Amino acid sequence: MLHNMAMIDLSIAVAYAVLMLLLFATGATFGSLLGALIERFPRGMSLWRPRSFCMQCNTQLAWYDLIPLLSFLLLQGRCRHCHTKIQPKLLLLELLCGLLLCLLAARWGNSICTLQLFCLCWLLLAIAYLDAQTGWMPLNLLILLLLSGWGFAALSDMGFDKSSCVLSVNLLQRFAASTAAFAALGAVLLMSTKILQYRKRLQPQQTAMGWGDPLLLAGIAAYVGFLWLPMILFLASLQSVVVHLFYRITQKPWIPQKWHAESDDNQLAEQAIPFGPFLAAATWQTVAIALLWPTLLL
């Protein structure tokens, strides 16, 4: 009897380990997709066309050079053809997304909640990285964030999600929160721009922030509703002020690459600090607080 129970426990442990391995591989694949996205979008390239190629020698990559994590390790972090060093950030993105999906599945299981938390974190990572590097957020990713948040709410309202999800906000509340978030931050954008232009701190063609920031906050609200928005705005504002003071003191520009395919660099002030990364970071922090100490946000 004890032998049979031990065998059953071992089988369960093996099945769980295999499941975690499959989930990690799935998350790492999305991490690889994220790496391609942040390399291609600022250059105005499609995510799907042309097929994956080395940015240095333009050689098309074979499928066995695109296996998440494994190909990087086997190739020792270099292109097979020109031996150019592959940026370690691609490996880190694959590792991060793989671990994230495993952690979410371990907590919420096979549920809509796991899927929407992963989508929220994945989309925010893509948007925040692009904004931090170029001062630009792709409109299609912002719209995808907004629509996916409403879509997950609709699925939950129809009864597809039976888990006690940390993002259990209905569609009507998410829609109202998105509208209010966009209107509120849009009003702040217009007023701050007019004030700074009047004080000659901005040129006539410059704005205090881009319209991507109100859209980003609306997309975040499409996932979290009204409840978490004050905490997210407080954390994002506090952290952005601290970082802004640091860059003002050191007289260093934040954005290392003022280039992308869809916007004019003149819209960015010399000492511009993109707000998108802080909104994303504040959302991750608030989600972590909700997961670890849910009563703090109620």
Side-chain angles (χ1 to χ4, degrees), residues 108-262:
W108 300 106
N110 182 23
S111 67
I112 296 293
C113 186
T114 296
L115 185 57
Q116 70 171 319
L117 280 169
F118 182 77
C119 286
L120 173 63
C121 293
W122 189 89
L123 286 168
L124 286 181
L125 184 57
I127 294 168
Y129 188 93
L130 289 171
D131 195 24
Q133 289 294 303
T134 66
W136 164 75
M137 289 180 275
L139 180 60
N140 48 4
L141 287 184
L142 294 171
I143 293 175
L144 179 60
L145 179 69
L146 185 68
L147 295 181
S148 61
W150 293 343
F152 283 122
L155 290 176
S156 297
D157 288 352
M158 289 187 289
F160 286 95
D161 189 13
K162 302 298 183 181
S163 64
S164 179
C165 184
V166 71
L167 296 180
S168 55
V169 184
N170 64 44
L171 177 58
L172 181 60
Q173 291 177 349
R174 295 195 195 196
F175 183 81
S178 297
T179 304
F182 180 81
L185 198 54
V188 171
L189 185 156
L190 292 174
M191 287 188 296
S192 58
T193 296
K194 291 299 182 182
I195 292 171
L196 291 174
Q197 287 177 349
Y198 177 78
R199 298 183 60 188
K200 308 299 183 183
R201 299 285 299 276
L202 290 177
Q203 299 298 322
Q205 74 276 16
Q206 293 178 335
T207 57
M209 67 175 73
W211 280 102
D213 296 306
L215 273 174
L216 175 57
L217 186 61
I220 292 170
Y223 275 86
V224 306
F226 281 109
L227 182 62
W228 296 359
L229 284 182
M231 175 68 77
I232 290 171
L233 281 172
F234 171 76
L235 291 174
S237 300
L238 177 64
Q239 292 167 123
S240 65
V241 167
V242 172
V243 173
H244 178 72
L245 289 175
F246 169 78
Y247 277 91
R248 285 297 297 269
I249 292 171
T250 58
Q251 293 295 310
K252 294 180 179 179
W254 165 291
I255 301 174
Q257 302 173 358
K258 284 193 176 183
W259 58 268
H260 46 79
E262 297 182 10

